[in-house]
Amino acid sequence: MYPAAFDYHRPGSVQEAISLLQENPEAKILAGGHSLLPAMKLRLAEPGAIVDLGSISDLKQLSLNGGATIGAMCTYDALLNSNELETMFPVLHEALAWVGDVQVRNLGTIGGSAAHADPAADIPAALVALEAEFVVVGPNGERTIPASEFFIDIFTTALEPEEVLTQIKLSAPDGNVVSAYEKFPHPASGYPVCGVAVVVTRDGSGNVSSARITATGSVYVVTRLTGAEDALTGTGGDASAVEAASERATEGVSEFAGDHYASSEYREHLTKVFVKRALNRALGN
Amino acid sequence: MTVSETRKDLVGQRLKRREDPRLVKGAARFMDDIVLPGMAHAAILRSPHAHARIVSIDASAARAMPGVAGVFTGRDMEAINPLPCAFPVGRGFENNINTPRALAIDEVHWTGDGVAVVVAETVAQARDAMDVIQVEYEVLPAVVDAELATGEGAPQLHENAPNNIAFKWNAGDQAGTETALGNGEIVLKQRLRNQRLIPTPLETRGATGDYNAGTDEYTFWLSSQAPHVHRLLLAAFVMGHPEEKIRVITPDLGGGFGAKIFVYPEYPLVGWLSKALNRPVKWTEGRAESHSATTHGRDHVTDIQVAANRDGKITGLHVKTWANMGGYLSTIAPGVATTLYGRMVSGVYDIPNVYCEIVGTYTNTGMVDAYRGAGRPEATYLVERAIDLVARELKLDPADVRKVNFIAQESFPYTNGLGMLPYDSGNYVPALDKALKNLGYSDLRAEQETLRKQGKHLGIGFSSYVEVCGVAPSAWINAEGWGAALWESANVKVHLTGKVVVTTGALPHGQGHETTFAQIVSDRLGVAYDDIIVEWGDTKGTPFGYGTYGSRSLTVGGAAVVNSVEKIRDKIKKIAAHVLEVAETDIELNDGVASVTGAPDRSLSFAEIALASATGFSLPAGMEPYLDETSYYDPPNCTFPFGTHIAVVEVDADTGKVDLKRYVAVDDVGNVINPLIVDGQVQGGIVQGIGQALYEGAVYDDDGQLVTGTLMDYAIPHASQMVNMELDRTVTVSPVNALGVKGAGEAGTIASAPAVVNAVIDALSPLGIKHIDMPLSAPRVWAAMQEANERN
């Protein structure tokens, strides 16, 4: 209940934050704190220093100009309140709405969720399905990491220890794009036992020209379900095409998560079920 | 809140609870709000191993940490005796008692066992120092399953308990039951696991000790559902300190559900620390700490065998249970698993041959003791599952099979075959019929058929229950093994200003005593509700009482209040007769006014009575001043509330997820003092039972590590998972007490888990599924459906 002692820093700029990270190799970045602080209270994490990004107002900016540039410190609640964001990226809105409860959404941040890379988090599924780009700034300046390379493993991203995630960029939907996020929440934590995000583009004749389908919770790192994507692409996206895609949803996935609550076999099954549910809803079947 | 002075009975009215404003405004005073001058804070280092020998403890680094006032181990406090087990199994049964110490000395038996304590100026300093205590353990093999613990080669926990057997107990007619099983037209067998639950009150436990060297007195603030019992046990058994020099205070409690009945190791510990350091010491339990260190509930492995005739009449029920006690025996654990369980396994049914055999076992897990319902949920679960198994086998309607087996109304008081006290009163068919009517049973069965054709799994599940409440008759409970009595006390005083103070040995941790008891006194004394206050929770200011659990506050404590009010009324009549110069028999007492029969203008108001009695200026010869009467009420019997609950669920074929569609309950708790409070008790209880049926379950791995160690893993029910509960009642007055009440605190929990499980099994019966162990989580239900589909 009481974390170990730590130094607390509250930088006013990203550059100052990077300097603090360089000076304090044991430091952890504090964003909304809804993953880090519980771990510290249980003393599962005992960082020697905290670098709190809460005073860097640049990181709380949301700009919408065709696409979206989302400051990493935007809270779930702030993003949920943007009608434009919801209209442009419904899958992100749905994933945001599933996170935690009101208190968590009031403080938790999109960048915090992405950088924490909890294998059972809602947001990464939507971001990968939207092919988000992650802008990070470090001692050597700024670089942009594509979603496909950002999430690496359990609690592991492409972020270097002295880098700060500053922005998440989403491209404007190109053409007729539909999307959805479906989730089976854990009865205790509310985290997804399985979450599936789908972003599907249809061509002028209504056929599926591309599909991006991701799973979270049922796997150890957010994963593109390429078997389902391939199966759906080129079809009319009707219920039978969705059924066929869901059958191939787990193709190529090397390992499903299993624990005392739900076996890996169950999570594998759920992945298929939720691919079907998300696609059918997105495609209006 | 003001209640009109024009007398209308308050009993039976839906008064809002007068204690709620302070609770919901953050103005209540809970355990951690206790702050004393010079107070230090304790943090307890608990064993990371479920079973290990303590080789050495090096606390030197911890002692050198900032703010540390002291670090102590079990060796330092050998003067504190092991805690008592106050309710071992009754006379004549095997009983191998082992109880925990304030801190373990040589060996730890579960991951919550304390091995050292740090006291520091702040909680954070104590917690930091705890991390640098070096303990060397010799890790021993662990066993966590109640049945496996008795097996060959199982790790042994205690020298005096071969094969980890804490006790063996039985009730009923073994030979007759075996004969009935041999002769049964059908005989069914089923293994049932009633899983371990973590009570999870909103407020975790706490303890503050304050030793006064000048008076040699200990003052304890404890999370206690029974402050007087805690004082008694601490004095007489644990600390060897005179009872009159121990004071126990319980402030507002944020729930308890039974887990705060018991004396825990931390309680003598804070007293000892306070004396050792000559300053008050507080310990507040963390949530994760609570999951491992506070008692758990249930955890039975049970084999049932049931014999029945083809008409559904049950002819024999044989029950064998392995009851997990955890690493040691908690305060009343054996009594819960025997008297409150084994004597109730025939439930609402007139079963001619019944036998129940229980083996209580030690395992390397947290202690198990009473948790809301305490034994009766486990009993109800097995018999309600048995009824459904019989109905399913015989293709009979489960409602009809219940009726065929119900104890007939004319049989009350009814004596079952398991040695329970006679059931006081009951009328089971009308409660079931009312539930069927409120549900629209036949229409719903038709809808179920339609949905089945569409591949949808709708299920209807019943639970008809009876519980033993107001557990009290002292001589009886003592013969059952409980080491003391269980009467309850109440004092009623009328102050000079006409204000009435009710002091009770019972105490609230969510039940609403301050409201209910005031309603009773207001009616019976004719005093305005707002002029009555109810005091509780301090051994220094309340008469000795046994506390609140087992739905006993109203049935036993409320009856004591009534007796004290009667004594006050008698004295008022004597005073009024004296002042008004008539015979006592000519005095009428109505609405707080004493008047002369036939001459209503000759009267004394309640204010005048209060003034006369408190000053003593004009009293009958020999009468002492003041209206101040205490009663100790020991009822002649327990009470036996009952009812029928029906759950309607739909199981998602794709995921195994169970959705509650409807919940209909008809309870009979006897007379109802405050229907709003009773509804709240029933609703909360139902939710807890649903939690067991669908979500909750403490899981230890094979090494004895608690996997469900936080609320991120241990699923308590959420409001969003519930349905609107359709509550109704029948009223069968209890003849046991003056109020005619039966008790309402546990009914919901006892009834609801079997109703939900039976509904899920009913939904899945077309697949041939006969049983799934709780919790019926989506993964578990899906796995059962998969298995059934493969079989079919």
Side-chain angles (χ1 to χ4, degrees), chain A residues 265-281:
Chain A
E265 186 192 6
Y266 181 69
R267 281 188 168 90
E268 182 173 353
H269 168 76
L270 277 191
T271 304
K272 291 180 182 173
V273 170
F274 282 81
V275 164
K276 183 159 67 180
R277 288 183 180 181
L279 284 174
N280 276 332
R281 186 159 62 80

Side-chain angles (χ1 to χ4, degrees), chain B residues 344 346-347 407 412-414 416 420-425 428 466 640:
Chain B
M344 290 300 292
S346 55
I407 298 159
F412 291 94
Y414 171 82
N416 74 11
M420 178 47 76
L421 288 173
Y423 294 12
D424 60 339
S425 61
Y428 299 157
V466 61
F640 295 81

Side-chain angles (χ1 to χ4, degrees), chain A:
Chain A
M1 211 158 60
Y2 290 81
F6 55 88
D7 293 330
Y8 176 78
H9 304 283
R10 195 173 172 90
S13 70
V14 172
Q15 283 311 319
E16 200 187 328
I18 292 165
S19 302
L20 285 163
L21 291 173
Q22 290 180 290
E23 291 158 21
N24 301 280
E26 283 191 7
K28 289 286 281 183
I29 291 175
L30 177 70
H34 276 73
S35 298
L36 178 60
L37 296 184
M40 289 170 65
K41 286 180 176 180
L42 289 168
R43 299 203 176 201
L44 298 171
E46 297 190 17
I50 290 294
V51 177
D52 181 354
L53 304 184
S55 287
I56 308 176
S57 51
D58 288 354
L59 298 183
K60 296 177 186 169
Q61 301 300 313
L62 167 65
S63 56
L64 297 154
N65 39 15
T69 300
I70 305 169
M73 287 292 284
C74 286
T75 63
Y76 303 120
D77 185 66
L79 298 175
L80 281 166
N81 285 328
S82 166
N83 292 332
E84 257 184 290
L85 193 72
E86 179 180 359
T87 306
M88 217 181 308
F89 306 108
V91 65
L92 179 61
H93 184 85
E94 289 176 13
L96 288 163
W98 266 112
V99 176
D101 53 23
V102 172
Q103 288 160 309
V104 170
R105 292 194 292 272
N106 279 342
L107 280 170
T109 64
I110 188 168
S113 173
H116 186 54
D118 191 309
D122 299 294
I123 300 302
L127 293 179
V128 174
L130 289 167
E131 294 192 315
E133 293 182 310
F134 295 81
V135 181
V136 307
V137 181
N140 302 321
E142 184 178 293
R143 64 185 180 119
T144 300
I145 308 170
S148 58
E149 294 169 21
F150 185 78
F151 297 101
I152 293 174
D153 206 340
I154 300 175
F155 302 118
T156 308
T157 66
L159 276 167
E160 295 294 332
E162 293 166 2
E163 284 182 327
V164 177
L165 172 63
T166 57
Q167 290 174 336
I168 295 168
K169 289 188 170 176
L170 301 174
S171 303
D174 185 12
N176 178 13
V177 178
V178 293
S179 65
Y181 179 67
E182 286 279 343
K183 165 180 176 177
F184 188 96
H186 188 285
S189 67
Y191 284 24
V193 176
C194 175
V196 170
V198 300
V199 177
V200 179
T201 308
R202 291 180 125 157
D203 61 22
S205 57
N207 287 332
V208 174
S209 55
S210 78
R212 296 188 298 275
I213 303 173
T214 59
T216 184
S218 60
V219 284
Y220 289 110
V221 62
V222 56
T223 301
R224 286 275 291 266
L225 304 176
T226 53
E229 292 177 355
D230 292 348
L232 194 69
T233 304
T235 71
D238 58 13
S240 63
V242 167
E243 182 72 38
S246 85
E247 281 308 310
R248 288 183 57 194
T250 59
E251 196 177 287
V253 180
S254 58
E255 194 179 8
F256 285 90
D259 56 28
H260 76 91
Y261 173 70
S263 65
S264 58
E265 186 192 6
Y266 181 69
R267 281 188 168 90
E268 182 173 353
H269 168 76
L270 277 191
T271 304
K272 291 180 182 173
V273 170
F274 282 81
V275 164
K276 183 159 67 180
R277 288 183 180 181
L279 284 174
N280 276 332
R281 186 159 62 80
L283 292 162
N285 294 330

Side-chain angles (χ1 to χ4, degrees), chain B residues 237-251:
Chain B
F237 297 97
V238 188
M239 301 178 74
H241 199 75
E243 187 180 2
E244 70 278 12
K245 289 184 178 293
I246 294 179
R247 176 184 182 188
V248 174
I249 303 169
T250 299

Side-chain angles (χ1 to χ4, degrees), chain B residues 28 78 112 139 157 313 334 436 463 473 492 497 582 631 641 646 670 725 736 783:
Chain B
E78 286 184 67
V139 179
L157 271 74
K313 174 65 187 169
L436 292 172
S463 172
V492 177
T497 54
V582 293
S631 298
I646 307 177
M725 289 167 244
V736 171

Side-chain angles (χ1 to χ4, degrees), chain B residues 103-123:
Chain B
L103 293 173
I105 292 181
D106 291 319
E107 199 167 307
V108 290
H109 290 108
W110 97 98
T111 55
D113 229 347
V115 295
V117 59
V118 182
V119 183
E121 301 300 326
T122 69
V123 186

Side-chain angles (χ1 to χ4, degrees), chain B residues 496 575 578 609-620 623-626:
Chain B
L496 184 145
I575 294 167
H578 176 73
I609 294 164
L611 186 67
S613 59
T615 57
F617 295 157
S618 177
L619 293 176
M623 179 181 279
E624 293 178 358
Y626 236 85

